[in-house]
Amino acid sequence: MEMDQARIMMVQHKPVAVEAGLGRMGIHRNIIHPKFGSFILLGTILLADEIDAYDQPIDYNPCLECRLCVGACPVGAIKHDGYFDFQTCFTHNYHDFLGNFTKWVEEVADSRDAKDYRSRVSPSETQSIWQSLSFKPGYKAAYCVSVCPAGEDVIGPYLDDRVSYVNDVVKPLLEKEETLFVIPGSDAEESAPRRFPNKTIRHVRAGRPIGSVQAYLFTLRLGFQRGKAKKLDLVTHWTFTGKTPFQGTVRINDKILDVTPGTHAGDARLSITADSEAWLRVLSRDLELAEAIESRLIVPSDADLFAAYMRCFPF
């Protein structure tokens, strides 16, 4: 039977778990159960019938705010002030999942021979891809879960001796020699080598496919690099033309991002007119940005401000 694509639903397990009273979301953006801590797997069952009782969110957050997850994250995706850099986490932690598979296939196709392939992809990375295809993808980090001491069943060693807990649980992850996958121009590219000189940096592309200009504006929050936006005050009006006409406003104010799709709002310092199909080709690396600008498929009103805007969203 053919599946009705219009009826496919995407369920976010974490908000459902919070509303069901299973726990609260910690600084590391994982659900912390009062008893089992972060060491749980979530699943959701959707019911079409009425039910006679509803659970309620718990009235406290089991998160200890110890920030061990902040220190353990090898790519700095979890910030001390609670901000979470989704794109940085996704790029490294989920490197062996579907998003990177197509990029790996392109590396194989672009390689001239075996030697050229080995210069592009290390043996360990090839083995990881093979394991992902043969069994299931493995997480590259998830250190935020590994070090989390919250939860009745796991908090004991942390309370007994916090110094020993850090030495035994956290430090081995910090000292581990491994490859970190980061996007060129991202905050992680700058901070990771400074924090972890013992780890190898590997430049990769973002693994999130963008299928429409509406999706591009919607997902800007996921890839926003606050470090690149520091002290930047910029209102940008997007005007997409061609096959998919659309408008949008992107406001950046000193590391704070606001996106208003569907309209031009406020006074813009930067205006960008872009053919919708050309912009999607730029994002997928099928068209060079410089070539698109030269062909006037993409027309920014100010080259310097456009460069500052693009630095906030490396891809």
Side-chain angles (χ1 to χ4, degrees), residues 44-176:
T44 302
I45 298 176
L46 303 179
L47 302 176
D49 295 329
E50 290 286 337
I51 55 178
D52 57 5
Y54 294 86
D55 283 331
Q56 299 294 330
I58 60 176
D59 58 4
Y60 72 100
N61 193 336
C63 179
L64 305 176
E65 297 190 3
C66 61
R67 285 175 168 71
L68 292 180
C69 57
V70 177
C73 180
V75 288
I78 312 169
K79 310 301 182 183
H80 279 279
D81 61 2
Y83 182 82
F84 181 69
D85 183 346
F86 174 89
Q87 181 66 80
T88 290
C89 174
F90 181 87
T91 299
H92 175 67
N93 197 37
Y94 295 84
H95 183 263
D96 290 343
F97 284 64
L98 181 60
N100 182 61
F101 177 72
T102 54
K103 306 297 184 297
W104 174 75
V105 171
E106 291 172 2
E107 292 279 16
V108 174
D110 289 343
S111 299
R112 295 186 302 273
D113 50 32
K115 183 178 180 180
D116 185 33
Y117 171 78
R118 288 194 297 270
S119 71
R120 297 166 180 258
V121 184
S122 68
S124 62
E125 191 175 348
T126 300
Q127 291 167 6
S128 293
I129 293 292
W130 168 249
Q131 177 175 318
S132 174
L133 294 173
S134 302
F135 303 99
K136 63 179 181 179
Y139 298 94
K140 289 296 184 185
Y143 297 171
C144 52
V145 173
S146 300
V147 304
C148 181
E152 295 176 10
D153 280 5
V154 297
I155 199 173
Y158 176 76
L159 295 180
D160 291 341
D161 190 339
R162 299 187 184 189
V163 174
S164 294
Y165 185 89
V166 171
N167 288 334
D168 295 340
V169 178
V170 182
K171 280 192 175 180
L173 299 176
L174 305 182
E175 297 170 355
K176 180 181 178 181

Side-chain angles (χ1 to χ4, degrees), residues 167-313:
N167 288 334
D168 295 340
V169 178
V170 182
K171 280 192 175 180
L173 299 176
L174 305 182
E175 297 170 355
K176 180 181 178 181
E177 294 185 6
E178 60 184 326
T179 299
L180 305 181
F181 299 92
V182 303
I183 300 173
S186 65
D187 292 343
E189 181 193 36
E190 180 179 340
S191 64
R194 184 175 65 251
R195 294 181 60 214
F196 303 107
N198 56 310
K199 300 181 188 291
T200 301
I201 302 300
R202 166 100 149 88
H203 289 149
V204 295
R205 291 162 49 191
R208 293 183 298 109
I210 304 296
S212 68
V213 292
Q214 293 91 333
Y216 166 71
L217 292 174
F218 180 79
T219 58
L220 281 178
R221 296 178 180 86
L222 303 180
F224 181 54
Q225 300 297 292
R226 293 198 310 167
K228 306 301 180 185
K230 187 176 181 180
K231 297 182 178 180
L232 180 62
D233 186 2
L234 180 64
V235 175
T236 301
H237 284 172
W238 276 97
T239 302
F240 293 105
T241 61
K243 186 177 180 180
T244 311
F246 199 70
Q247 294 181 342
T249 301
V250 180
R251 296 181 181 87
I252 301 172
N253 185 6
D254 192 18
K255 301 196 294 185
I256 297 175
L257 173 69
D258 181 65
V259 180
T260 306
T263 186
H264 288 162
D267 296 326
R269 293 179 59 201
L270 172 65
S271 297
I272 307 170
T273 301
D275 177 81
S276 56
E277 292 299 301
W279 183 247
L280 295 178
R281 290 178 61 204
V282 168
L283 296 179
S284 65
R285 303 296 181 114
D286 291 331
L287 175 64
E288 291 294 329
L289 178 58
E291 180 183 345
I293 292 176
E294 184 177 355
S295 303
R296 299 193 64 79
L297 293 170
I298 299 172
V299 182
S301 62
D302 186 296
D304 291 336
L305 289 178
F306 182 58
Y309 171 92
M310 293 298 292
R311 283 194 292 271
C312 297
F313 308 99

